[in-house]
Amino acid sequence: MSAAPSEAALSVDGLYVTYGRVEALHGVSLTVGPAEVVALLGANGAGKTSLLRAVSGAVRARGTVQVYGRKVTGMPGHRIAALGVGHVPEGRGTFVDLTVEENLRLGVMARRRSAVGLTLEQALELYPELAGFRARKAGALSGGQQQMLALARALLAAPRLLLIDEPSTGLAPLAVAEVYRTIASLCARHSLAVLLAEQNVTRALEVADRAYVLGSGMVAAEGAASDLAGDPAVQAAYLGTDTGGGDRP
C-alpha cells in the first residue's frame, strides 16, 4: 500500500512534464515512504527520466511534488537539493577531469549544514574498489567504477531521498551485479528513501519494496515488487526487455 502523502518521503500528485509540444508525463502520481526503495519501471521513452528530473527541479512540471511534506514544485534545483534530495543521473554524471577524491569532496561540499553524514574514508569503505584510485581521474575508471563513484558522491551529501536513474545503462553484466550489490547495501545500512528508475527489471525488483510501471507517460501498474516480478501480463505488456538503455524524454 502506498504511504499517505503526510508520511511520505516523496509524494507526487498529478505530475505533467512537457517538452515543447510533446507531453512526456500525463498526470503521474506516486509515493515513496521513508526508508523505502521504490522502483520506477518502464520501457525506453516511458517517462522515467522526466519524472526524476521533475522531482529534482531539473525540468519544469505541473502538478504537486512534496518532499517530507514540503511542497517543492517550482523550486530551483539547488533548493530542492538543500532539502536532502540527491540525484544520480543517467550516464552517472561524474566529473571526468577531476580525480576520484575530488569528485567525492564535491559530495561533502553539497551536504546540508545541519546534516550529519559519512566521512570520505567511510564512503570509500563502502566502495573499496575505489580506494586504490583516489588520485585517478574519474574519466579513466570503468563504467561500473564510475557508477559506484556517482553513488558514493551522492551518499556523501547525506540525502534523505535519493533518486537513481538507470544505473545499469551501458554496463557489462558483472558490473551491473556489483552496482546493484552496492545499492542494496547502502539502502540497508543507511535507511534511505530511494526512487530507482530502471529498465533492468530483474535487478530493480530484487532491491525494491514496491514498484510503479510507467507506460506512455502514465502509471500503468503498481504494487509490491514481488507481485510485479511474478506477473507475466505486466511483464509482457509494460516492461519489455531487461537490458539497460536510455530514457528519452
Side-chain angles (χ1 to χ4, degrees), residues 32-243:
V32 179
E36 185 180 37
V37 181
V38 174
L40 185 64
L41 307 174
N44 184 30
K48 304 184 299 298
T49 291
S50 292
L51 194 149
L52 266 58
R53 288 175 174 170
V55 171
S56 66
V59 297
R60 293 184 178 181
R62 292 182 290 118
T64 301
V65 178
Q66 294 184 73
V67 174
Y68 287 95
R70 180 167 179 178
K71 185 177 178 181
V72 301
T73 318
M75 275 189 186
H78 70 276
R79 287 188 59 195
I80 296 175
L83 294 175
V85 178
H87 188 176
V88 181
E90 183 184 6
R92 295 174 274 284
T94 53
F95 293 93
V96 295
D97 291 329
L98 299 181
T99 66
V100 166
E101 182 165 337
E102 288 168 340
N103 269 275
L104 293 175
R105 292 195 181 280
L106 289 175
V108 177
M109 291 171 61
R111 188 180 300 169
R112 307 179 315 283
R113 289 185 181 180
S114 61
V116 177
L118 298 177
T119 66
L120 190 146
E121 299 303 327
Q122 288 171 329
L124 286 172
E125 288 176 7
L126 290 176
Y127 303 93
E129 190 170 344
L130 297 177
F133 299 143
R134 295 173 68 138
R136 182 175 296 184
K137 288 190 175 181
L141 301 178
S142 70
Q145 290 164 346
Q146 287 190 42
Q147 186 67 72
M148 292 176 201
L149 176 58
L151 289 166
R153 189 182 66 195
L155 192 59
L156 279 165
R160 296 190 295 164
L161 169 66
L162 186 59
L163 313 174
I164 307 176
D165 195 0
E166 302 282 6
S168 68
T169 296
L171 300 185
L174 286 177
V176 171
E178 180 63 14
V179 165
Y180 266 90
R181 183 193 67 77
T182 64
I183 290 174
S185 174
L186 74 87
C187 292
R189 294 176 66 172
H190 301 282
S191 299
L192 290 174
V194 176
L195 181 59
L196 170 66
E198 182 60 281
Q199 283 192 79
N200 192 320
V201 175
T202 301
R203 289 294 182 185
L205 292 179
E206 284 175 352
V207 301
D209 300 298
R210 294 187 300 114
Y212 292 85
V213 180
L214 291 187
S216 302
M218 297 181 290
V219 174
E222 63 179 283
S226 57
D227 292 341
L228 291 178
D231 188 334
V234 170
Q235 293 270 342
Y238 302 115
L239 301 183
T241 178
D242 272 2
T243 58

